[in-house]
Amino acid sequence: MAITFSQEIFEKICSSATHSTAEVYDMIAPHLDDTLQSINCVLLGDMADKLDTVPGLEQAVTKLVCLRTYQEQIPQLDLVLTPTGFGVVSNQNLAPASADRVKNLLQQVTNAAEDTYDRCLELLVGTSWADTAQARINIPNLMYTAKQLKMYVDFPSADVHRSKLLEFRTKMYQAEEKIRQHVSAEFFDHILEQARHNAFTKEESAMADYMCKFIGFCIAKNWSAAKSMLERIENYAESKVEVFTSTRTPRPTKSNTSRLIRMKKMIPHTFGGRILDFRFPTSWQQLNQEQLRYVFLVITLFLRSRLRLTSSCASPESVSGSE
């Protein structure tokens, strides 16, 4: 579905570009299609031809294209401040806008563009888009919008946008890897996939909330709260194991050996997360760093035991020979 742009639409979205003539829009317009194609590739994918199937999506994408194009072109424009907003340097004998004004304008437009990008994601989850590569690229973590980040992390300022989310992405990956080690990678991947499809059950929604709280505590470096929340995740996984295993949901595992014994009929054989089962992976490549450390620890303990056994079982002839 093709999106139509006009000066009226652009100035309604970017009110600071409102001008009695089309000076600003005329300089922006040639770049709108390029921005749209970029957004189609990175965000929309096949949904670019089905915008009208999702209420509000066409308007959100139109707004995103206008804001992002304006954002990218502001540094290239010789802006002046006019009674109706910003314009470009012309024969009006107006002094160029100050650097601070232009900087503030650029920040406002950037924030609005980032918020609109998040809004597009909120509209896309739960649609056929959830099964695309674009969904996996744009939602690699349980927290994928700035609004979610603000829910689970306390910031001194409420002015939090997508750039802040991207800043913490590495920490989110690290926290999620810890969750994977405690409840199994398959179970976490299922929860993440449910987030993309907006298809949580009641129990999965609660589990996702606990996981996001743990991630938020890790970002805030509140390690005591993070530890408690990780234990709560494990306990909830155990208490709801029958619910999780009654459907096609991958089964969560427990790192506590005694609990593993009680749940052995419901949990697949696992190697990792402080659990040493006797069914080993088929290749070393399947082990992560923590699991490899367990392997070498076991090997080391085995070698020490064997050395002590060999020493205690030395023959009398060898002892007399040494004398």
Side-chain angles (χ1 to χ4, degrees), residues 130-131 135-136 139-142 172-173 175-200 204 207-208 211 215 248-253:
D131 295 313
R136 292 187 291 273
I139 306 182
N141 308 102
L142 278 180
M172 285 190 279
Y173 277 125
E176 289 176 352
E177 179 58 29
K178 181 62 67 175
I179 295 174
R180 289 170 182 269
Q181 294 170 7
H182 282 257
V183 299
S184 87
E186 293 80 6
F187 181 69
F188 179 84
D189 289 341
H190 171 78
I191 295 295
L192 182 56
E193 195 65 22
Q194 291 293 83
R196 297 187 185 115
H197 285 84
N198 194 26
F200 285 132
E204 288 169 348
M207 176 63 82
M211 290 178 174
I215 296 167
R248 294 184 178 180
T249 306
R251 300 163 182 172
T253 61

Side-chain angles (χ1 to χ4, degrees), residues 63-225:
K63 182 177 181 179
L64 177 60
V65 172
C66 290
L67 287 168
R68 180 166 287 185
T69 305
Y70 191 28
Q71 170 196 356
E72 293 173 349
Q73 295 305 312
I74 283 176
Q76 317 301 326
L77 301 175
D78 292 325
L79 294 176
V80 295
L81 191 62
T82 71
T84 56
F86 284 89
V88 294
V89 173
S90 61
N91 296 322
Q92 301 176 41
N93 296 320
L94 295 173
S98 67
D100 287 342
R101 284 183 178 274
V102 174
K103 182 179 178 181
N104 291 336
L105 170 65
L106 180 58
Q107 188 61 59
Q108 291 172 7
V109 174
T110 299
N111 292 344
E114 291 183 355
D115 293 345
T116 307
Y117 195 99
D118 282 357
R119 178 56 183 160
C120 289
L121 289 178
E122 292 172 345
L123 293 170
L124 286 167
V125 295
T127 68
S128 59
W129 175 85
D131 295 313
T132 66
Q134 284 79 11
R136 292 187 291 273
I137 291 171
N138 285 277
I139 306 182
N141 308 102
L142 278 180
M143 289 192 287
Y144 54 88
T145 67
K147 185 186 300 183
Q148 291 172 309
L149 183 65
K150 287 190 287 185
M151 285 176 58
Y152 292 104
V153 183
D154 290 329
F155 291 100
S157 171
D159 193 28
V160 178
H161 304 277
R162 187 166 183 80
S163 55
K164 182 65 71 173
L165 178 81
L166 299 179
E167 178 184 333
F168 288 121
R169 180 150 284 174
T170 298
K171 291 185 177 180
M172 285 190 279
Y173 277 125
Q174 293 170 345
E176 289 176 352
E177 179 58 29
K178 181 62 67 175
I179 295 174
R180 289 170 182 269
Q181 294 170 7
H182 282 257
V183 299
S184 87
E186 293 80 6
F187 181 69
F188 179 84
D189 289 341
H190 171 78
I191 295 295
L192 182 56
E193 195 65 22
Q194 291 293 83
R196 297 187 185 115
H197 285 84
N198 194 26
F200 285 132
T201 65
K202 176 183 176 181
E203 292 76 16
E204 288 169 348
S205 179
M207 176 63 82
D209 179 56
Y210 294 151
M211 290 178 174
C212 286
K213 286 177 179 176
F214 171 75
I215 296 167
F217 289 140
C218 290
I219 290 174
K221 297 182 179 180
N222 188 344
W223 305 121
S224 60

Side-chain angles (χ1 to χ4, degrees), residues 162-302:
R162 187 166 183 80
S163 55
K164 182 65 71 173
L165 178 81
L166 299 179
E167 178 184 333
F168 288 121
R169 180 150 284 174
T170 298
K171 291 185 177 180
M172 285 190 279
Y173 277 125
Q174 293 170 345
E176 289 176 352
E177 179 58 29
K178 181 62 67 175
I179 295 174
R180 289 170 182 269
Q181 294 170 7
H182 282 257
V183 299
S184 87
E186 293 80 6
F187 181 69
F188 179 84
D189 289 341
H190 171 78
I191 295 295
L192 182 56
E193 195 65 22
Q194 291 293 83
R196 297 187 185 115
H197 285 84
N198 194 26
F200 285 132
T201 65
K202 176 183 176 181
E203 292 76 16
E204 288 169 348
S205 179
M207 176 63 82
D209 179 56
Y210 294 151
M211 290 178 174
C212 286
K213 286 177 179 176
F214 171 75
I215 296 167
F217 289 140
C218 290
I219 290 174
K221 297 182 179 180
N222 188 344
W223 305 121
S224 60
K227 181 180 178 181
S228 298
M229 186 54 62
L230 191 57
E231 292 175 354
R232 187 170 186 177
I233 290 171
E234 290 186 324
N235 293 333
Y236 188 74
E238 181 186 16
S239 66
K240 299 295 181 179
V241 67
E242 292 183 0
V243 176
F244 290 137
T245 56
S246 64
T247 62
R248 294 184 178 180
T249 306
R251 300 163 182 172
T253 61
K254 285 292 292 184
S255 62
N256 187 287
T257 306
S258 62
R259 288 172 177 170
L260 176 65
I261 294 173
R262 295 199 301 271
M263 299 166 63
K264 62 182 179 181
K265 292 184 179 180
M266 291 177 278
I267 300 179
H269 289 81
T270 307
F271 185 76
R274 299 194 300 274
I275 301 171
L276 180 58
D277 203 349
F278 294 101
R279 182 174 297 180
F280 288 91
T282 57
S283 67
W284 291 103
Q285 286 76 11
Q286 295 179 6
L287 302 178
N288 60 33
Q289 291 296 320
E290 184 174 354
Q291 292 167 337
L292 284 171
R293 286 196 290 271
Y294 286 134
V295 172
F296 288 111
L297 173 62
V298 171
I299 292 174
T300 302
L301 295 175
F302 175 76

